């Protein structure tokens, strides 16, 4: 007995002259192809795009570093740059008045008030302990006669700056926060910040270590033994023991391949069932019309 490999064919072919094309079958075929194209393109877009997953745990992602970098940019429309400085304090005993390294003060004009204002930028490091930094006039040899700490914040960033999009975090919530209208000119401004250590691992393997934070705000008129105290802009921070780790991921190729096969196979299977039901029903009605149902 001669062996014939074609006997293993489970996809037996029907001669073309034994098949019957129908208009309904053509419509279902066109709709099936359009449906398959739409789903395959959707899966391809999903496969090529990335997403961030997150997990939380108690750990310090930068265990070898005891400092956090900070960058700040604040507009003070009613304060001359010559009076403005930044002071840094923390629970480890640090007390730095008038930090000058990496500080840029740019004069700005306030047309509404007709006064010279200041854009204050600074970059510095803080210890990983509770503390504060504040924009004030404490380091100035001469104090202004009409101090006014009304302000708008351009950014306050802790740790690395996150450039990736789509991360569900709060890395710069003070961006564009404005405290000008309806605020007393002599009011002191207090921001209470809760820092949350984070890490962002990109698809290529690069890792960033930013800090996200939430904040609460209050303003008040400060008084001391000698009367009213010069207003200031305070940022008091504390650190959370919880670290949030973000990881950029993409669907594996086998997932895309599985979905591709499922879309094509499932669509053609369902389409075949629908076509068969319509064809059978149509023939049943034709036989009923000519009385051949028996």
């Amino acid at each position: 007995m001669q062996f014939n490999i074609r006997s293993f064919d489970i996809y037996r072919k029907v001669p073309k002259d034994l098949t019957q094309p129908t208009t309904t079958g053509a419509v279902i075929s066109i709709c099936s192809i359009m449906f398959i194209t739409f789903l395959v393109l959707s899966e391809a877009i999903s496969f090529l795009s990335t997403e961030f997953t997150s997990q939380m745990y108690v750990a310090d992602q930068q265990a070898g570093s005891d400092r956090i970098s900070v960058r700040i940019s604040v507009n003070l429309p009613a304060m001359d740059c010559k009076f403005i400085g930044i002071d840094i304090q923390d629970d480890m005993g640090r007390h730095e008045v008038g930090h000058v390294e990496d500080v840029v003060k740019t004069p700005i004009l306030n047309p509404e008030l007709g006064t010279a204002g200041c854009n204050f930028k600074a970059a510095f490091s803080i210890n990983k302990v509770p503390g504060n930094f504040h924009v004030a006039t404490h380091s100035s040899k001469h104090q202004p006669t009409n101090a006014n700490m009304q302000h708008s914040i351009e950014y306050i960033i802790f740790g690395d700056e996150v450039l990736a999009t789509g991360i569900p975090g709060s890395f710069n919530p003070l961006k564009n926060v404005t405290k000008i209208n309806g605020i007393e000119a002599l009011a002191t401004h207090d921001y209470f910040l809760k820092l949350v250590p984070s890490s962002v691992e990109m698809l290529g393997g690069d890792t960033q270590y930013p800090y996200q934070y939430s904040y609460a705000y209050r303003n008040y008129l400060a008084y001391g033994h000698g009367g009213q105290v010069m207003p200031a802009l305070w940022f008091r921070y504390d650190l959370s023991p919880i670290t949030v780790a973000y990881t950029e991921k993409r669907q594996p190729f086998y997932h895309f391949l599985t979905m591709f096969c499922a879309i094509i196979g499932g669509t053609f299977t369902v389409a075949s069932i629908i076509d068969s039901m319509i064809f059978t029903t149509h023939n049943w009605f034709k036989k009923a019309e000519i009385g051949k149902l028996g």
Side-chain angles (χ1 to χ4, degrees):
M1 180 173 131
Q2 187 176 4
F3 173 76
N4 189 352
I5 193 172
R6 288 185 297 177
S7 61
F8 290 97
D9 185 7
I10 61 176
Y11 302 103
R12 302 298 177 94
K13 309 301 183 293
V14 179
K16 190 174 182 179
D17 56 351
L18 297 179
T19 60
Q20 179 182 352
T22 63
T23 302
T24 303
V27 172
I28 293 176
S29 298
I30 293 173
C31 292
S32 298
I33 293 173
M34 294 174 62
F35 185 68
I36 288 172
T37 302
F38 171 74
L39 291 183
V40 169
L41 287 176
S42 299
E43 280 298 320
I45 293 172
S46 177
F47 169 70
L48 294 175
S49 61
T50 60
E51 63 178 1
F52 285 93
T53 60
S54 64
Q55 59 178 340
M56 295 185 295
Y57 49 87
V58 179
D60 186 353
Q61 286 288 80
Q62 288 182 293
S65 174
D66 58 355
R67 290 290 189 104
I68 302 171
S69 62
V70 183
R71 281 173 295 151
I72 177 175
S73 178
V74 180
N75 290 317
L76 301 155
M79 287 292 292
D80 196 306
C81 285
K82 67 182 180 181
F83 298 116
I84 301 300
I86 189 166
D87 308 333
I88 306 171
Q89 298 174 303
D90 64 31
D91 288 358
M92 291 183 66
R94 182 183 183 184
H95 189 179
E96 185 175 349
V97 179
H99 178 84
V100 295
E101 187 178 353
D102 294 323
V103 171
V104 178
K105 294 186 281 188
T106 306
I108 57 176
L109 180 63
N110 187 343
E112 295 182 3
L113 300 177
T115 59
C118 186
N119 171 255
F120 182 86
K121 287 184 171 69
F124 52 94
S125 296
I126 57 175
N127 293 314
K128 291 183 177 179
V129 295
N132 72 79
F133 53 89
H134 49 277
V135 179
T137 62
H138 301 157
S139 60
S140 176
K141 294 181 180 179
H142 305 285
Q143 295 298 304
T145 55
N146 295 307
N148 185 341
M149 297 303 290
Q150 294 175 348
H151 60 278
S152 63
I153 300 173
E154 292 185 347
Y155 57 79
I156 296 182
I157 298 174
F158 295 86
D160 296 335
E161 183 176 5
V162 178
L163 301 177
T165 58
I167 303 177
S170 182
F171 299 97
N172 189 16
L174 286 173
K175 180 180 180 180
N176 297 326
V177 169
T178 300
K179 301 297 180 182
I180 296 178
N181 296 326
I183 304 292
E184 284 279 352
L186 294 175
T188 287
H189 304 265
D190 254 354
Y191 290 91
F192 301 89
L193 314 179
K194 190 71 172 181
L195 308 186
V196 180
S198 305
S199 68
V200 179
E201 183 179 351
M202 306 302 293
L203 198 62
D206 295 334
T207 303
Q208 295 176 305
Y209 298 98
Y211 284 74
Q212 50 188 312
Y213 61 94
S214 59
Y215 73 92
Y217 168 80
R218 68 170 180 171
N219 67 80
Y220 58 93
L221 296 177
Y223 290 91
H225 296 295
Q228 187 165 348
V229 177
M230 277 290 181
L233 180 54
W234 291 78
F235 299 93
R236 309 176 193 272
Y237 59 87
D238 195 5
L239 283 85
S240 168
I242 303 297
T243 293
V244 181
Y246 297 96
T247 305
E248 187 181 25
K249 292 185 177 181
R250 175 179 287 156
Q251 288 183 356
F253 180 72
Y254 68 81
H255 181 271
F256 170 74
L257 190 61
T258 301
M259 293 302 298
F260 178 80
C261 295
I263 289 170
I264 294 178
T267 302
F268 278 125
T269 299
V270 173
S272 176
I273 293 173
I274 294 174
D275 180 62
S276 177
M277 291 174 59
I278 294 175
F279 182 75
T280 302
T281 304
H282 178 69
N283 285 343
W284 186 87
F285 277 109
K286 286 182 64 177
K287 289 182 180 179
E289 289 177 356
I290 60 178
K292 291 187 176 181
L293 283 178

